[in-house]
């Protein structure tokens, strides 16, 4: 069974970076990554993705229009079953506190530690085996 991971970021190079970092996993069908260019687009996709199941949302915080922090309570209300990890260039204590208060299970800072992210993804995959 394949599962979905939804990545939300307005920067177009993020998709290429993630696809490169997880190319073996994607090629083998271990999971599928989908990319949303904005928080509103992510909310639509999070509501639609059911089969295969959505197991993780990775979202940038700073995006034009609706920020990741503004999206967080909305996506948690719509999909309380899906953990959300926020990604930010500013990993200060206040940003971390806001993200956790609004429902994030974690916060990663840029540049992204892909070894740590892989560990987070692996932990979610174990739940679906």
């Amino acid at each position: 069974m394949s599962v979905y991971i939804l990545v939300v970021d307005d920067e177009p190079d993020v998709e290429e970076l993630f696809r490169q970092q997880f190319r073996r996993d994607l090629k083998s069908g271990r999971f599928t990554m989908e990319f949303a260019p904005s928080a509103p687009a992510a909310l639509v996709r999070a509501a639609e993705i059911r089969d295969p199941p959505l197991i993780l949302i990775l979202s940038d915080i700073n995006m034009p229009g609706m920020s990741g922090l503004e999206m967080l309570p909305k996506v948690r209300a719509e999909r309380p079953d899906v953990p959300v990890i926020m990604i930010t260039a500013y990993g200060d204590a206040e940003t971390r506190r806001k993200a956790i208060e609004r429902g994030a299970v974690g916060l990663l800072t840029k540049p992204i530690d892909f070894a740590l992210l892989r560990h987070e993804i692996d932990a979610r995959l174990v739940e679906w085996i």
Side-chain angles (χ1 to χ4, degrees):
M1 168 196 277
S2 187
V3 295
Y4 267 106
I5 296 170
L6 180 61
V7 180
V8 188
D9 201 305
D10 62 309
E11 295 293 329
D13 60 333
V14 168
E15 180 173 352
E16 184 179 327
L17 177 62
F18 273 72
R19 288 197 184 283
Q20 180 181 9
Q21 289 292 325
F22 295 104
R23 67 184 172 277
R24 287 189 183 108
D25 300 287
L26 297 170
K27 188 174 181 179
S28 72
R30 188 166 181 242
F31 53 81
T32 300
M33 274 190 167
E34 189 166 322
F35 297 84
S38 67
L43 289 170
V44 169
R45 285 305 294 146
E48 294 172 344
I49 298 172
R50 297 290 178 191
D51 190 32
L54 178 62
I55 65 160
L56 182 62
I57 297 172
L58 302 165
S59 178
D60 190 22
I61 288 180
N62 293 317
M63 295 182 285
M66 182 188 298
S67 75
L69 288 177
E70 292 167 327
M71 177 196 75
L72 192 49
K74 296 175 191 298
V75 79
R76 298 295 299 142
E78 177 71 32
R79 296 298 305 268
D81 57 313
V82 181
V84 181
I85 296 175
M86 302 306 292
I87 301 170
T88 182
Y90 311 101
D92 60 275
E94 181 65 12
T95 301
R96 183 174 300 279
R97 183 189 62 76
K98 285 180 183 177
I100 300 303
E101 280 179 359
R102 294 178 188 194
V105 298
L107 182 86
L108 296 175
T109 55
K110 294 180 181 179
I112 297 170
D113 178 344
F114 281 99
L116 180 60
L117 180 54
R118 179 172 295 284
H119 176 75
E120 290 285 348
I121 291 171
D122 288 346
R124 307 292 177 247
L125 288 171
V126 166
E127 296 173 14
W128 289 97
I129 295 176

